């Protein structure tokens, strides 16, 4: 694929927030919904040609109004998500042009920097799939159903993967088609590409690029922003 192909984004913000206790993507930080901060780097990054936002069907009008209010101009569309994350990403892919590269990002990661988008897209020119990750520093234990520790996991070589994750569009579409044909499931997009025997390239992530999971995370994001 030619290196002059455009770069696109998919921001996935259609989760139910069960652990959070509500739709965390719309929780307010400094009087703006969390999703605003997750979208903004795609709008501001000069490497991004356009992006699609995938959100809850009941929030489509709200998100469209929000992006109009802040004069976000690179928006290609706001589309309804599906039952699972995989469904939502597929809905986003259907609304992107045929060619180029894509960064798929969690709408619950509001501390993304444009520099990560630039680095990810540049690396994706050389590798078909790219992800950011940070080393796992905590000791990892395996427990049984009775909540007893039964094993200490060797953490060497283990990383916690972040988003955005970057792909050639033809590769990620092929990965999703393969997953549907074989009834595969995954919680991140790199896992589906791995089923094509493609090893994603790892880049050093940022410990500040946190994912909001609990209300306590919201206070941390507010402090960091």
């Amino acid at each position: 694929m030619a290196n002059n192909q455009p770069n696109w984004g998919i921001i996935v913000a259609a989760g139910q927030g069960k652990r959070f206790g509500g739709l965390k993507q719309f929780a307010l930080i400094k009087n703006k919904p969390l999703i605003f901060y997750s979208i903004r780097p795609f709008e501001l990054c000069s490497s991004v040609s356009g992006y699609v936002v995938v959100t809850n069907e009941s929030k489509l009008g709200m998100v469209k109004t929000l992006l109009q209010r802040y004069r976000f101009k690179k928006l290609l569309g706001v589309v309804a998500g599906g039952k699972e994350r995989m469904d939502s990403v597929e809905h986003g892919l259907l609304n992107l042009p045929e060619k180029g590269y894509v960064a798929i990002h969690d709408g619950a990661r509001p501390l993304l920097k444009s520099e990560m988008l630039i680095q990810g897209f540049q690396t994706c020119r050389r590798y078909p799939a790219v992800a950011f990750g940070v080393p796992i520093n905590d000791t990892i234990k395996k427990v049984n159903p009775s909540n007893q520790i039964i094993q200490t996991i060797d953490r060497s070589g283990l990383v916690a993967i972040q988003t955005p994750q970057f792909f050639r569009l033809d590769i990620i579409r092929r990965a999703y088609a393969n997953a549907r044909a074989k009834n595969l499931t995954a919680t991140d997009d790199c896992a589906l590409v791995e089923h094509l025997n493609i090893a994603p390239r790892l880049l050093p992530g940022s410990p500040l690029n946190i994912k909001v999971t609990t209300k306590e995370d919201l206070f941390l994001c507010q402090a960091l922003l």
Side-chain angles (χ1 to χ4, degrees):
M1 180 174 288
N3 281 352
N4 61 354
Q5 294 289 346
N7 300 321
W8 311 106
I10 298 174
I11 299 93
V12 186
Q16 297 302 314
K18 294 177 182 177
R19 284 177 290 177
F20 186 84
L23 299 180
K24 58 189 174 184
Q25 58 270 43
F26 300 107
L28 294 180
I29 302 177
K30 298 185 177 181
N31 296 318
K32 294 183 178 69
L34 186 153
I35 189 177
F36 164 84
Y37 298 98
S38 302
I39 296 171
R40 183 172 60 173
F42 288 83
E43 179 69 28
L44 298 179
C45 181
S46 59
S47 295
V48 176
S49 299
Y51 54 86
V52 172
V53 178
V54 187
T55 191
N56 311 75
E57 188 170 7
S58 62
K59 300 293 185 181
L60 287 172
M62 173 184 169
V63 173
K64 290 177 182 178
T65 300
L66 174 77
L67 299 181
Q68 289 171 353
R69 181 189 311 156
Y70 292 107
R71 299 181 181 179
F72 283 1
K73 301 184 185 304
K74 295 183 181 180
L75 179 69
L76 300 178
V78 180
V79 300
K83 184 178 179 181
E84 304 293 341
R85 185 185 185 278
M86 284 179 60
D87 303 316
S88 296
V89 173
E90 280 190 307
H91 292 181
L93 288 170
L94 287 171
N95 285 271
L96 287 182
E98 180 182 352
K99 297 181 179 180
Y101 303 83
V102 63
I104 303 175
H105 186 52
D106 291 328
R109 288 188 188 267
L111 298 176
L112 171 67
K113 301 294 185 184
S114 292
E115 290 79 8
M116 290 181 73
L117 287 170
I118 293 170
Q119 183 184 10
F121 279 124
Q122 286 177 342
T123 308
C124 203
R125 260 55 181 174
R126 291 178 283 134
Y127 304 95
V130 177
F132 286 96
V134 293
I136 295 176
N137 296 318
D138 294 326
T139 298
I140 305 298
K141 302 283 188 179
K142 184 176 182 179
V143 298
N144 64 17
S146 299
N147 227 28
Q148 296 171 306
I149 295 173
I150 58 173
Q151 185 182 357
T152 300
I153 307 297
D154 181 6
R155 67 189 179 197
S156 61
L158 296 181
V159 294
I161 292 297
Q162 302 177 334
T163 69
Q165 296 177 1
F166 301 79
F167 307 94
R168 275 178 26 195
L169 268 173
D170 61 324
I171 293 292
I172 191 62
R173 285 179 168 136
R174 181 153 59 92
Y176 265 87
N178 179 65
R180 293 306 184 193
K182 297 180 179 178
N183 200 28
L184 303 173
T185 60
T187 55
D188 86 324
D189 302 293
C190 276
L192 298 182
V193 170
E194 292 162 33
H195 282 291
L196 298 178
N197 294 319
I198 294 173
R201 183 74 171 183
L202 183 70
L203 294 176
S206 167
L208 299 182
N209 183 26
I210 64 172
K211 184 177 182 179
V212 172
T213 303
T214 66
K215 288 183 169 63
E216 288 73 22
D217 296 331
L218 214 56
F219 296 117
L220 178 59
C221 285
Q222 182 164 318
L224 292 171
L225 282 167

